[in-house]
Amino acid sequence: MGTDSPLEESFGKYIWCELCGHVYSAAAWVAADNTCPNCGASIANARPWEEIRQLNPQYPVTPVEGTEYALYS
Ligand SMILES: [Zn+2]
């Protein structure tokens, strides 16, 4: 398996930005030169969606891209 995106390899399909709280696909981060497509935060501020979801089990497995999710809801 595997993907052709190193970002997706390390973060999974969706990435949550700890600066603005928005979630985008790994592909969208890559398209924005490995920055948050919403606020331009660097990859250092990226967290795997799965990690956010573990803190908030009610969050969907597949988030709505471009939506803001609180770290703790
Ligand atoms: Zn952001």
Side-chain angles (χ1 to χ4, degrees):
M1 286 304 288
T3 73
D4 45 31
S5 163
L7 208 58
E8 188 169 334
E9 288 284 345
S10 33
F11 286 90
K13 197 166 172 47
Y14 292 97
I15 299 175
W16 181 83
C17 170
E18 65 182 10
L19 285 194
C20 69
H22 283 70
V23 63
Y24 288 93
S25 65
W29 279 71
V30 171
D33 288 329
N34 289 357
T35 64
C36 171
N38 181 62
C39 74
S42 83
I43 201 68
N45 296 111
R47 304 217 358 218
W49 173 246
E50 195 49 42
E51 193 179 312
I52 306 310
R53 215 176 66 77
Q54 277 168 16
L55 299 171
N56 303 276
Q58 76 278 20
Y59 283 0
V61 174
T62 302
V64 180
E65 200 171 344
T67 299
E68 187 176 350
Y69 292 89
L71 181 52
Y72 297 102
S73 72

